């Protein structure tokens, strides 16, 4: 386990523009409990240190660290001004176990006001030899059991302006179209393909908006038949031609985004949506699966929990059962570039969420459908349901399936067996498996371990392929960190850690 150090210099601020100062103010956190912090002998004759000052703001942002509220410090110049252009060294004694401590040096950069993050290796926890052995086992298993999921968008366009989405902002919907071709994607995948279990061709945009969608699906099935193919769609463009391509090319997963039971609720959230058209398209895809006795595509549903739709969530489960949905992902609204807080967020209605959460679980057990659902909020308040008109499925039952005008050829079902978590049990101590089994292609060329990670592993270009980036030193360092450490500064915005996007099926 590496020891994580995180610190920030608050004063003097960058705007002060001074080279020397009589005082430094900041905060410092360590993943191990700090038993003693002092100025190193390198410079302690001229300065004094006060550590353990209250910083509730830091504690709120970095809950993983011990003693996070007492993380503030002052460095005071006694008889010589502090030179901000020179390094300043602290010495910390940290607790490794109840009866073991370790002394480490912390070199402060006084010239910047941005948060600094670095690790100190604790070789007693995972030696270089042990790590190399584990990594070799991982690489060998990956060759036998393809396990990587690739996530990407094949276009940067969407046909809706959902209230919780970045795409409702002009800054995004006015951008020039950026759509990858089937041939370019084929080249990108060529060398990494033997290690890939599945590819998800949409994350934040609507894949059916791409004029290359049909060619991409056909290319993937033809050239990489062992890969599972998934897509996320709002369903508006899931017409006869799209359904034909999905069925004939053995797409394995279709995640449908839908946030209500009634027409009014859905169309108030997903601006530009046509309730009848979406339901009609989903019913038609369900019926095509039944007609050809298909296991795939598995149909999943994504429901963003909000103050205006949560009362419909329990009956939404019944609607999903009618649509042949295998699993429902209930998730909280995630803040984005344009808002951290939103009036629709359930964090402002904790007791209301907790009340409907129980109703959702009860209904899922009754209907026998798998769900993912965030944990309850901590609150002493109880919610009493307000008087409201009964939610029912009248709007839903009145819609007939869309007519299948495109003839579909029955090409059989997807039947390849790829790797799963059970083939990589030796990684069970990892803090997060995503750097081991995921590649996020952002804007079609920037490579990240997941869409929420705060760093880029590399860019696909003439000299860097997906394979070379995934196995490069930068990616490997992230993987090693996940085995050795409980914290990664690049993961502070992770909505999975904060349970906004739950990953476990409710038992």
């Amino acid at each position: 386990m590496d020891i994580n150090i995180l610190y920030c210099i608050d004063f003097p601020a960058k705007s002060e523009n001074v080279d020397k100062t009589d005082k430094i103010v900041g905060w410092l956190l360590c993943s191990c409990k700090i038993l003693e912090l002092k100025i190193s002998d390198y410079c302690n004759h001229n300065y004094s240190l006060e550590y353990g000052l209250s910083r509730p703001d830091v504690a709120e942002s970095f809950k993983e660290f011990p003693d996070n509220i007492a993380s503030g410090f002052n460095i005071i110049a006694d008889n010589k001004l502090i030179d901000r252009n020179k390094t300043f060294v602290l010495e910390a004694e940290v607790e490794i176990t109840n009866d073991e401590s370790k002394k480490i040096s912390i070199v402060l950069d006084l010239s910047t006001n941005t948060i600094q993050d670095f690790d100190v290796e604790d070789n007693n926890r995972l030696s270089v030899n042990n790590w190399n052995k584990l990594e070799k086992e991982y690489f060998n298993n990956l060759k036998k059991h393809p396990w990587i999921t690739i996530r990407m968008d094949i276009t940067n366009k969407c046909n809706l302006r959902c209230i919780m989405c970045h795409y409702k902002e002009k800054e995004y919907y006015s951008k020039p179209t950026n759509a990858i071709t089937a041939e370019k994607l084929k080249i990108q995948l060529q060398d990494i393909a033997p290690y890939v279990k599945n590819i998800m061709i949409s994350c934040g945009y609507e894949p059916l908006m791409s004029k290359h969608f049909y060619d991409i699906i056909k290319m993937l099935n033809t050239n990489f038949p062992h890969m599972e193919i998934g897509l996320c769609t709002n369903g508006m463009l899931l017409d006869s031609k799209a359904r034909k391509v999905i069925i004939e090319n053995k797409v394995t997963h279709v995640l449908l985004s839908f946030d209500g039971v009634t027409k009014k609720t859905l169309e108030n959230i997903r601006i530009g949506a046509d309730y009848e058209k979406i339901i009609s398209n989903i019913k038609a895809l369900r019926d095509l699966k039944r007609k050809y006795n298909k296991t795939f595509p598995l149909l999943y549903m994504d429901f963003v929990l909000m103050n205006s739709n949560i009362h419909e969530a329990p009956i939404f489960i019944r609607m999903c059962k009618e649509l042949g949905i295998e699993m429902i992902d209930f998730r909280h609204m995630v803040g984005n570039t344009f808002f951290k807080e939103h009036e629709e967020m359930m964090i402002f209605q904790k007791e209301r969420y907790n009340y409907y959460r129980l109703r959702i679980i009860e209904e899922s057990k009754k209907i026998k459908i798998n769900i993912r659902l965030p944990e309850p909020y901590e609150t002493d308040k109880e919610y009493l349901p307000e008087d409201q008109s009964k939610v029912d499925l009248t709007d839903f039952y009145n819609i007939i399936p869309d007519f299948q005008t495109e003839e579909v050829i029955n090409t059989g079902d997807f039947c390849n067996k790829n790797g799963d978590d059970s083939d990589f049990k030796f990684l069970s101590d990892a803090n997060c498996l995503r750097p081991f089994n995921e590649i996020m292609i952002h804007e079609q060329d920037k490579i990240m371990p997941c869409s929420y990670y705060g760093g880029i592993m590399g860019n696909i270009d003439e000299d860097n392929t997906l394979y070379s980036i995934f196995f490069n030193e930068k990616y490997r360092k992230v993987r090693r960190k996940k085995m050795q450490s409980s914290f990664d500064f690049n993961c502070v915005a992770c909505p999975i850690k904060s349970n906004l996007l739950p990953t476990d099926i409710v038992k």
Side-chain angles (χ1 to χ4, degrees):
M1 182 178 74
D2 282 357
I3 300 168
N4 307 128
I5 305 294
L6 204 64
Y7 74 86
C8 185
I9 304 301
D10 295 325
F11 175 85
K14 190 174 182 180
S15 58
E16 298 289 330
N17 197 26
V18 292
D19 290 330
K20 294 188 177 183
T21 180
D22 61 353
K23 185 177 183 180
I24 299 289
V25 177
W27 54 266
L28 185 146
L29 294 168
C30 180
S31 57
C32 296
K33 182 180 178 65
I34 297 177
L35 302 175
E36 182 183 19
L37 185 67
K38 62 182 182 179
I39 297 173
S40 168
D41 290 339
Y42 174 76
C43 54
N44 72 351
H45 299 295
N46 302 300
Y47 315 107
S48 57
L49 171 69
E50 185 180 11
Y51 180 69
L53 306 177
S54 180
R55 289 298 297 262
D57 57 326
V58 176
E60 178 62 27
S61 297
F62 302 104
K63 298 176 182 177
E64 300 95 335
F65 287 87
D67 298 330
N68 49 17
I69 197 164
S71 59
F73 69 79
N74 293 333
I75 299 172
I76 309 294
D78 294 335
N79 54 27
K80 182 180 178 181
L81 291 177
I82 303 167
D83 189 342
R84 295 181 65 203
N85 297 312
K86 292 184 179 180
T87 57
F88 200 95
V89 185
L90 302 180
E91 184 181 282
E93 182 178 359
V94 299
E95 183 179 78
I96 304 299
T97 64
N98 288 335
D99 56 1
E100 179 188 0
S101 65
K102 181 184 181 80
K103 289 186 177 180
I104 60 175
S105 291
I106 303 171
V107 181
L108 301 182
D109 181 354
L110 306 182
S111 65
T112 178
N113 298 116
T114 59
I115 296 174
Q116 302 296 301
D117 167 48
F118 66 93
D119 301 323
V120 177
E121 289 189 7
D122 180 10
N123 292 326
N124 294 327
R125 301 288 157 177
L126 182 62
S127 69
V128 173
N129 286 339
N130 286 341
W131 165 247
N132 289 340
K133 183 180 177 182
L134 186 145
E135 187 180 47
K136 185 176 180 180
E137 184 179 2
Y138 161 66
F139 288 155
N140 287 338
N141 263 36
L142 205 53
K143 291 177 184 177
K144 301 173 192 174
H145 308 287
W147 192 44
I148 297 172
T149 293
I150 292 179
R151 301 184 190 276
M152 65 178 300
D153 282 296
I154 60 172
T155 183
N156 63 341
K157 294 298 175 184
C158 187
N159 51 341
L160 302 185
R161 303 288 186 271
C162 304
I163 64 172
M164 63 289 196
C165 183
H166 64 281
Y167 198 77
K168 72 179 185 298
E169 306 293 337
K170 186 176 181 181
E171 178 180 332
Y172 282 88
Y173 67 70
S174 63
K175 286 183 178 180
T177 300
N178 182 18
I180 194 168
T181 65
E183 188 57 33
K184 185 175 180 181
L185 180 56
K186 177 184 174 183
I187 293 170
Q188 288 185 353
L189 296 175
Q190 205 68 53
D191 59 353
I192 197 73
Y195 308 93
V196 175
K197 175 181 180 178
N198 59 58
I199 181 167
M200 189 76 173
I201 60 168
S202 47
C203 296
Y205 300 93
E206 175 55 52
L208 288 161
M209 287 287 286
S210 171
K211 65 180 180 180
H212 305 294
F213 172 79
Y214 306 101
D215 290 337
I216 285 173
I217 295 293
K218 292 174 185 176
M219 179 277 293
L220 291 171
N221 181 47
T222 301
N223 293 275
F224 311 108
H226 73 283
M227 283 189 200
E228 302 165 22
I229 306 169
L231 62 105
C232 178
T233 176
N234 57 48
M236 281 283 288
L237 303 175
L238 196 61
D239 59 14
S240 182
K241 184 179 179 182
R243 297 191 296 267
K244 169 184 170 68
V245 169
I246 287 169
I247 294 291
E248 288 185 349
N249 291 278
K250 304 175 185 177
V251 170
T252 55
H253 301 80
V254 176
L255 175 60
L256 299 147
S257 298
F258 206 82
D259 310 302
V261 167
T262 62
K263 175 180 174 68
K264 180 180 178 181
T265 297
L266 186 279
E267 294 183 359
N268 281 345
I269 292 171
R270 296 191 167 264
I271 309 301
D274 183 324
Y275 178 91
E276 288 83 1
K277 179 183 285 189
I278 297 171
I279 294 295
S280 178
N281 287 341
I282 299 172
K283 285 183 176 181
L285 182 58
R286 172 203 63 189
D287 292 349
L288 267 184
K289 277 186 63 180
R290 291 174 178 173
K291 179 180 178 180
Y292 294 105
N293 195 28
K294 291 268 194 177
T295 302
F296 299 104
L298 300 177
L299 303 181
Y300 297 159
M301 196 68 91
D302 183 11
F303 185 106
V304 180
L305 297 158
M306 304 182 207
N307 194 38
S308 61
N309 70 2
I310 194 166
H311 63 288
E312 295 188 2
I315 199 169
F316 180 78
I317 295 171
R318 202 180 314 162
M319 186 182 90
C320 286
K321 192 70 173 181
E322 295 275 349
L323 288 172
I325 303 299
E326 302 280 340
M327 183 167 65
I328 307 169
D329 270 329
F330 289 103
R331 52 184 63 196
H332 286 308
M333 184 186 287
V334 177
N336 58 45
T337 307
F338 302 95
F339 68 84
K340 290 185 178 179
E341 297 179 346
H342 192 287
E343 60 186 6
E344 286 277 10
M345 286 180 167
M346 295 311 305
I347 194 169
F348 301 118
Q349 298 282 342
K350 293 179 180 179
E351 65 277 11
R352 190 164 188 257
Y353 169 70
N354 290 350
Y355 172 85
Y356 281 108
R357 182 181 184 274
L358 292 175
R359 310 289 87 75
I360 291 168
I361 293 173
E362 288 169 2
E363 194 66 23
S364 70
K365 292 184 182 300
K366 187 190 305 180
I367 300 295
K368 296 181 180 177
I369 190 169
N370 288 329
I371 64 169
R372 294 190 181 107
L373 183 66
E375 292 296 315
Y377 286 113
E378 291 185 12
T379 178
D380 295 327
K381 295 181 180 178
E382 288 191 22
Y383 175 72
L384 297 175
E386 68 274 19
D387 291 334
Q388 56 185 2
S389 56
K390 182 177 172 58
V391 178
D392 60 36
L393 294 175
T394 302
D395 290 348
F396 172 78
Y397 285 130
N398 285 336
I399 300 169
I400 62 172
D402 185 46
F403 185 67
Q404 186 62 34
T405 57
E406 297 272 344
E407 183 181 353
V408 175
I409 300 171
N410 191 352
T411 55
D413 236 340
F414 179 85
C415 59
N416 288 298
K417 176 70 173 73
N418 290 308
D420 56 35
D421 290 1
S422 65
D423 298 309
F424 295 84
K425 290 180 180 177
F426 54 90
L427 297 175
S428 60
D429 288 336
N431 225 317
C432 174
L433 287 175
R434 294 204 172 201
F436 293 90
N437 65 7
E438 287 215 5
I439 297 173
M440 172 67 192
I441 308 178
H442 181 59
E443 295 179 346
Q444 299 168 20
D445 67 346
K446 299 176 183 67
I447 308 304
M448 304 153 66
C450 89
S451 57
Y452 298 102
Y453 195 76
I456 303 294
M457 300 296 102
N459 292 70
I460 303 175
D461 53 33
E462 292 179 359
D463 300 317
N464 297 287
T465 66
L466 269 178
Y467 179 93
S468 67
I469 295 171
F470 186 74
F471 292 105
N472 70 13
E473 190 56 38
K474 203 168 183 180
Y475 227 123
R476 292 171 70 184
K477 186 177 179 181
V478 175
R479 285 192 282 269
R480 185 181 178 193
K481 188 164 190 173
K482 293 304 177 189
M483 293 300 302
Q484 294 182 254
S485 173
S486 60
F487 179 79
D488 186 335
F489 181 59
N490 286 300
C491 299
V492 292
C494 176
I496 295 173
K497 287 173 64 178
S498 58
N499 198 39
L500 293 174
L501 306 180
T503 57
D504 295 327
I505 294 173
V506 175
K507 301 297 185 183

